[in-house]
Amino acid sequence: MGLSTDDIMQLSLDLVDWDDVPGDSTTYVPGEDIESALVGIDLESPELQLANDQDFDLALAHHPAGDEARLEFTEVLDKQVEFMTNHGVPEDVAEEAAQGIRDNAEYGAHAANYRHNPSVAELLDQPYMNIHLAPDELGRRLFVEVVEELTADATVADLKAAFNDAFPEIRNAATDIETRVGDDANEVGEVAVHHAAGTNGGADVARAYFEHGVDTVIYIHVSAIDAAELREEFAGEEKNLVVTGHIASDAVGLNVLVDALEGEGVECTTFSGCDL
């Protein structure tokens, strides 16, 4: 007897010791007796047809694809504030830094066709779900473990080498770890891993870290505009923004979930980024 979609969601929560399903994760079409799953970073309408054509019991996406997971996405952005305050950023400063991210997420969700992908799955009667924050949290914890093993005088180059050594998903990716602000020769100093907060923090969150004692911020992605703004503002201050790569970094945590599912007897076929 296979797992249900409820079982799979609960498994993801158990892996991070959480009680409640985050707002960015949901089941669009429930399923029972799941013994096979098509798993990827992004599964939308074409991939749902593929899953249905190839008789997969479940289509399991990482990124939110519609309905509640998009409309309630702003709930998980409280993690932005939590991570900043954990590194000494005053709460009022952290709240202000995160406000633009919240606004962008809310406006974007309001404008999106949040019914598109779920409605396709419903017509196909294809069990379909996405699990976003819990795998990202698994990845974040692994990132923190690597950071904590760095020596006191470690450089940005040392940090990048350590991540490549630790994570085959990052090592094998077509993208490289990039130093978007700062220099590889700089010491990393105080490091903040800003991952598993819904999305990257942009210039505002990195600035809040830099202005309150953090020397190196790790994002998994950042825009060119935000990076340029930070480079100009912190030129000569040996502040570093290291970007590990969006899809490769998502795969780190998602593959932990895949391993757990396979341990429960669900045969997983990975693609769309988590097959690195």
Side-chain angles (χ1 to χ4, degrees):
M1 182 67 109
L3 302 181
S4 68
T5 45
D6 285 346
D7 293 333
I8 290 170
M9 188 68 79
Q10 186 61 52
L11 176 62
S12 75
L13 299 178
D14 291 344
L15 288 171
V16 289
D17 196 27
W18 290 348
D19 294 326
D20 300 318
V21 178
D24 64 350
S25 306
T26 197
T27 298
Y28 307 106
V29 176
E32 301 286 339
D33 197 20
I34 293 165
E35 296 181 345
S36 65
L38 184 63
V39 185
I41 303 294
D42 296 287
L43 273 70
E44 299 185 345
S45 298
E47 294 79 25
L48 291 171
Q49 184 67 66
L50 175 66
N52 190 258
D53 289 347
Q54 298 196 5
D55 296 322
F56 284 98
D57 298 327
L58 174 67
L60 172 56
H62 178 54
H63 286 147
D67 281 20
E68 294 90 346
R70 283 190 176 177
L71 295 175
E72 298 179 15
F73 185 79
T74 52
E75 291 180 9
V76 307
L77 297 177
D78 290 343
K79 289 283 186 181
Q80 302 272 339
V81 175
E82 176 186 329
F83 293 159
M84 283 185 278
T85 56
N86 286 346
H87 283 276
V89 178
E91 186 167 359
D92 61 333
V93 175
E95 289 283 355
E96 183 176 357
Q99 191 56 50
I101 302 163
R102 289 179 172 133
D103 288 345
N104 286 338
E106 193 277 325
Y107 277 58
H110 192 271
N113 184 353
Y114 56 85
R115 285 293 300 144
H116 179 65
N117 296 303
S119 67
V120 172
E122 289 163 8
L123 282 171
L124 292 170
D125 196 25
Q126 172 62 56
Y128 179 36
M129 67 192 303
N130 91 279
I131 304 178
H132 189 234
L133 194 63
D136 280 355
E137 174 63 14
L138 290 167
R140 186 192 71 83
R141 293 177 187 181
L142 292 170
F143 284 9
V144 169
E145 288 179 10
V146 172
V147 168
E148 289 177 343
E149 290 297 317
L150 295 172
T151 61
D153 61 348
T155 64
V156 171
D158 295 329
L159 183 153
K160 292 163 74 171
F163 270 60
N164 277 313
D165 287 344
F167 304 113
E169 295 90 348
I170 291 176
R171 183 171 65 249
N172 296 334
T175 54
D176 295 323
I177 305 175
E178 299 288 351
T179 305
R180 296 301 192 191
V181 177
D183 190 275
D184 283 359
N186 290 347
E187 290 190 2
V188 295
E190 176 70 20
V191 180
V193 177
H194 196 86
H195 177 32
T199 187
N200 81 83
D204 290 341
V205 168
R207 180 183 300 106
Y209 279 123
F210 289 157
E211 291 179 345
H212 293 88
V214 172
D215 303 295
T216 299
V217 174
I218 297 175
Y219 283 169
I220 71 168
H221 56 85
V222 74
S223 75
I225 293 172
D226 286 333
E229 183 178 328
L230 291 165
R231 281 195 299 271
E232 180 177 359
E233 187 169 348
F234 293 95
E237 295 191 36
E238 295 198 5
K239 299 293 187 180
N240 312 295
L241 176 62
V242 177
V243 178
T244 55
H246 185 182
I247 303 307
S249 301
D250 278 356
V252 170
L254 189 57
N255 283 335
V256 176
L257 176 59
V258 167
D259 289 344
L261 285 170
E262 292 185 332
E264 294 292 329
V266 178
E267 182 180 351
C268 295
T269 298
T270 59
F271 79 140
S272 183
C274 69
D275 52 342
L276 294 172

